Amino acid sequence: AQSVTQLGSHVSVSEGALVLLRCNYSSSVPPYLFWYVQYPNQGLQLLLKYTSAATLVKGINGFEAEFKKSETSFHLTKPSAHMSDAAEYFCAVTLKAAGNKLTFGGGTRVLVKP
Amino acid sequence: DTEVTQTPKHLVMGMTNKKSLKCEQHMGHRAMYWYKQKAKKPPELMFVYSYEKLSINESVPSRFSPECPNSSLLNLHLHALQPEDSALYLCASSHPGLETQYFGPGTRLLVL
């Protein structure tokens, strides 16, 4: 079975500071991993995805994530937070054996302080 | 174009009403999904259609009835809902397999 854990349901950062959102997965086989962002009253937007190619993945809006198999992690970072980064962020995993089923972590709400 | 559209944006219905949610995509995707999202929670998968056939039903109550009339459209028919069914209903689409799912903006449903 696949599962995802996001450490920290809320993260508060100052504008211009590093954003670090943690995601750990549980899977016995290589997973596909995704980060989505959800702004208030909107759907989910894909930030980036890992599909077994490069372990460092660059996404939109200056975000990137690194897949570390030894740590079963896929943490999301952005060097310098902007006020527009305030949103809910979801890490998600899917496996070949699971077909099209995407499993989400609990989400992390990011607050950006001026 | 990576757009998934959903109508209506908002819906208020009584427990005896019948209503439908609609989802449309023109990306050539052959997999489409319904998710339910409660406040401050992640989306929960309800149904998956692959090549217009229902492939996954996550034990959803029969008061929710999905329909996929063609490869671009996905409906969710609602009947005799309960107040606890109030939530944001999200539609998504993708190529079948381990491909990125693209989400619509959702329909916010309130059951009175």
Side-chain angles (χ1 to χ4, degrees), chain A residues 22-111:
Chain A
R22 299 180 186 276
C23 172
N24 288 87
Y25 67 91
S26 173
S27 168
S28 58
V29 296
Y32 281 25
L33 293 157
F34 304 83
W35 275 101
Y36 284 89
V37 60
Q38 186 175 32
Y39 299 101
N41 299 314
Q42 294 188 28
L44 277 69
Q45 180 182 8
L46 179 72
L47 280 176
L48 49 80
K49 64 180 180 181
Y50 168 76
T51 57
S52 75
T55 56
L56 183 62
V57 182
K58 293 188 184 300
I60 63 170
N61 301 341
F63 284 93
E64 64 180 37
E66 185 172 10
F67 174 73
K68 292 187 176 180
K69 184 178 179 181
S70 61
E71 299 176 9
T72 61
S73 68
F74 190 56
H75 301 331
L76 181 71
T77 61
K78 181 174 180 177
S80 176
H82 190 273
M83 296 299 290
S84 60
D85 294 326
E88 186 87 24
Y89 292 79
F90 293 101
C91 183
V93 63
T94 190
L95 302 173
K96 201 170 189 178
N100 296 346
K101 187 171 179 177
L102 197 60
T103 300
F104 288 90
T108 298
R109 181 166 296 277
V110 172
L111 172 66

